[in-house]
Amino acid sequence: MKTIVLSVLVENSSGVLSRVAGLFSRRGYNIDSLTVGVTQDPSYSRMTIVSSGEDEELEQIRKQVAKLVDVVDIKELPADLSVCRELILVRVAADSTQRSAVIAVADIFRAKIVDVADNSMILELTGNKNKLDAFLHLLGDFEILQLARTGITGLSRGANE
């Protein structure tokens, strides 16, 4: 099974997200990650869609997404020719005796401490999937109270537009 990351430029109009999600739903394709945000031109949004499957299925996804009326441009983001990142927020149970250990893990990964309460801390980290997974693995010694991941977003490297 392979994974594909598509950067899709779409018209910023109501119903676009629903049409894209509907395409995946009707054909039984899975969306592993989906992020959407407005671009430098407010009339367009960029969707980053991550999906996995066999080669034939991934090719059909590319073709079907490209056919959608609202799609202006579609690019595949291969790992070696693009920059892809994800944001994670994690609330960890940490009383005063555990804080220094949590801070040590955060420092290793350059995570930001964005909130501290009596018995917990919220950490923020941006990076690729492997970095975030390794961070969560090291936090495994602590009780994770809540976790939120944004999903992958990305752009082509260098002059590749």
Side-chain angles (χ1 to χ4, degrees):
M1 188 167 294
K2 293 183 180 179
T3 299
I4 188 172
V5 179
L6 297 176
S7 178
V8 184
L9 188 66
V10 297
E11 293 178 13
N12 192 7
S13 60
S14 61
V16 175
L17 180 58
S18 177
R19 286 187 282 283
V20 170
L23 174 130
F24 278 77
S25 175
R26 283 189 306 277
R27 290 175 174 68
Y29 302 143
N30 188 40
I31 297 175
D32 298 333
S33 171
L34 173 66
T35 60
V36 185
V38 70
T39 66
Q40 71 278 12
D41 181 347
S43 59
Y44 298 105
S45 290
R46 182 167 311 281
M47 292 184 171
T48 306
I49 304 168
V50 181
S51 190
S52 50
E54 300 302 324
D55 287 334
E56 302 81 26
E57 187 177 29
L58 297 178
E59 186 59 32
Q60 282 302 308
I61 289 171
R62 280 186 210 95
K63 289 177 182 177
Q64 294 297 321
V65 170
K67 284 182 184 180
L68 290 172
V69 172
D70 301 304
V71 172
V72 176
D73 188 36
I74 182 171
K75 291 193 179 358
E76 186 172 347
L77 299 178
D80 58 338
L81 299 175
S82 60
V83 176
C84 293
R85 296 290 184 264
E86 183 176 5
L87 170 72
I88 184 174
L89 290 174
V90 58
R91 182 187 312 271
V92 179
D95 59 23
S96 58
T97 62
Q98 297 171 311
R99 274 202 193 106
S100 60
V102 173
I103 290 169
V105 173
D107 287 345
I108 291 169
F109 287 90
R110 297 186 185 141
K112 293 180 186 176
I113 299 166
V114 294
D115 185 65
V116 177
D118 290 338
N119 293 313
S120 68
M121 301 172 72
I122 297 178
L123 308 171
E124 172 188 316
L125 181 63
T126 303
N128 63 32
K129 182 182 182 321
N130 292 338
K131 179 179 180 178
L132 300 184
D133 290 344
F135 178 65
L136 290 174
H137 178 72
L138 281 184
L139 286 177
D141 293 339
F142 305 96
E143 181 184 0
I144 295 177
L145 302 172
Q146 286 182 302
L147 175 67
R149 294 179 86 145
T150 60
I152 294 172
T153 190
L155 293 172
S156 298
R157 287 190 181 274
N160 299 327
E161 294 182 5

